[in-house]
């Protein structure tokens, strides 16, 4: 049985983790390095770091914050936001990342996926995609870029399949409709995606209860789940510990990854 992964995702603004609902009204949570250490100590499986204003501001990723976070965690660490070319990828990896996430820039220049895969290996390249149910594409889901602000007209499933064919070793798929709502994952979207892909799928957007994780892992083939709001959202009356979530999943016969030290 393949084990499942629980991933904390940091939306970074000026070196601090924030939480939003459908990409609006970000609430400040904590300095990135402090929360990274807390997540690592709590036995989270992986960490994803997005500099969420880098693309819309047309600047590079916040390398100094990447370095600070990398010093606090010894688990797989993915970074994204403002990655424009191989040079940016190299700098992020040199700063301590294990994997690179591309999103808006990949839509504008899909060859960046192939370039990164050739240079660093497919296992290093994560295609992150923000999608919304608009009914304007064959799948019903449309790709958005620049912090989910700009509609592209691209069909979400076709884009995911293209990203996979270009060399992305993993797909992180976020539902804009469900993002930060705590109402559960868009299972219809995740089922469509895992039926079209052969690389691992990370589901993102909507987790608020342990049951949402159970439903995701029993009803889809997603290999990992982003659970940020459940861990530290100021909007939740109760935040869950990683230990509580893993215990719940074990009780529901879902295999969870043991700690994976990579450095």
């Amino acid at each position: 049985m393949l084990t499942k992964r629980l991933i904390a995702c940091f939306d970074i603004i000026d070196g601090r983790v924030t939480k939003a609902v459908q990409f609006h009204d970000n609430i400040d949570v904590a300095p990135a390095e402090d929360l990274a250490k807390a997540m690592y100590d709590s036995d989270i499986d992986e960490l994803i770091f997005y500099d969420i204003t880098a693309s819309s501001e047309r600047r590079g990723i916040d390398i100094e914050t990447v370095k600070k976070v990398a010093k606090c965690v010894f688990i797989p660490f993915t970074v994204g936001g403002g990655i424009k070319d191989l040079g940016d990828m190299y700098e992020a990896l040199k700063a301590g990342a294990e994997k690179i996430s591309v999103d808006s820039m990949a839509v504008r220049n899909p060859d960046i996926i192939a370039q990164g895969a050739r240079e660093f290996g497919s296992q290093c390249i994560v295609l992150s995609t923000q999608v919304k149910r608009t009914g304007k594409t064959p799948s019903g889901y449309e790709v958005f870029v620049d912090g989910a602000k700009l509609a592209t007209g691209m069909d979400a499933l076709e884009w995911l399949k293209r990203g996979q064919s270009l060399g992305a070793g993993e797909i992180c798929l976020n539902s804009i409709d469900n993002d930060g709502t705590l109402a559960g994952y868009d299972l219809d979207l995740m089922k469509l995606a895992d039926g079209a892909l052969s690389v691992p799928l990370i589901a993102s957007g909507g987790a608020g209860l342990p049951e949402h994780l159970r439903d995701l892992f029993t009803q889809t083939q997603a290999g990992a789940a982003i659970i940020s709001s459940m861990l530290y959202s100021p909007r939740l009356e109760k935040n869950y510990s990683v230990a509580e979530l893993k215990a719940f999943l074990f009780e529901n016969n879902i295999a969870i990854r043991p700690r994976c030290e990579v450095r």
Side-chain angles (χ1 to χ4, degrees):
M1 180 184 296
L2 293 177
T3 56
K4 307 298 185 179
R5 294 168 286 148
L6 301 182
I7 301 176
C9 179
F10 288 3
D11 290 341
I12 302 292
I13 298 177
D14 296 329
R16 298 183 65 86
V17 179
T18 67
K19 284 305 299 173
V21 176
Q22 297 175 328
F23 290 80
H24 297 291
D25 302 322
N26 288 71
I27 296 176
D28 182 78
V29 176
E33 62 270 27
D34 292 352
L35 192 57
K37 186 177 187 307
M39 290 295 99
Y40 174 70
D41 290 343
S42 74
D43 206 23
I44 197 73
D45 295 316
E46 296 191 21
L47 177 64
I48 295 179
F49 169 123
Y50 292 129
D51 185 336
I52 60 172
T53 59
S55 292
S56 60
E57 294 175 357
R58 301 294 191 268
R59 60 170 174 78
I61 195 167
D62 181 352
I63 285 291
E64 291 308 309
T65 302
V66 172
K67 290 178 181 177
K68 290 177 182 178
V69 169
K71 290 178 181 177
C72 299
V73 299
F74 303 93
I75 51 177
F77 175 35
T78 301
V79 304
I83 302 292
K84 302 181 295 299
D85 51 35
L86 289 178
D88 289 340
M89 292 183 184
Y90 175 75
E91 289 302 316
L93 294 169
K94 188 171 70 171
E98 278 83 34
K99 294 186 276 189
I100 300 296
S101 170
V102 289
D103 187 336
S104 300
M105 184 53 64
V107 171
R108 294 186 169 96
N109 174 26
D111 194 49
I112 193 174
I113 300 171
Q115 292 171 358
R118 285 194 300 268
E119 186 72 15
F120 305 112
S122 290
Q123 80 289 339
C124 186
I125 305 301
V126 179
L127 175 60
S128 294
T129 304
Q130 320 303 320
V131 308
K132 187 177 179 67
R133 191 194 296 261
T134 65
K136 297 179 179 179
T137 66
S139 71
Y141 292 91
E142 185 176 356
V143 175
F144 280 65
V145 295
D146 295 344
K149 296 180 178 67
L150 180 64
T152 66
M154 296 169 57
D155 181 74
L157 282 191
E158 290 305 311
W159 172 234
L160 296 180
K161 289 189 286 186
R162 186 180 180 195
Q164 175 180 265
S165 69
L166 286 167
E170 197 165 19
I171 302 291
C172 183
L173 179 58
N174 186 57
S175 165
I176 297 169
D177 301 298
N178 291 41
D179 184 82
T181 64
L182 310 175
Y185 297 97
D186 184 336
L187 296 180
D188 290 338
L189 171 63
M190 300 307 163
K191 288 175 185 177
L192 285 173
D194 71 41
L197 298 170
S198 59
V199 298
L201 174 67
I202 301 170
S204 177
L209 295 170
E211 289 79 6
H212 296 154
L213 289 168
R214 178 199 62 202
D215 293 346
L216 174 73
F217 289 140
T218 57
Q219 297 182 39
T220 81
Q221 297 300 310
I226 285 178
I227 56 170
S228 302
S229 293
M230 300 177 73
L231 299 174
Y232 50 79
S233 173
R235 294 183 171 92
L236 267 180
E237 289 185 11
K238 169 183 169 55
N239 290 126
Y240 295 88
S241 70
V242 177
E244 286 178 299
L245 297 174
K246 288 190 174 184
F248 175 85
L249 292 172
F250 276 123
E251 289 168 5
N252 283 270
N253 299 311
I254 297 167
I256 293 296
R257 255 190 182 182
R259 170 160 245 159
C260 179
E261 303 277 354
V262 297
R263 284 180 281 179

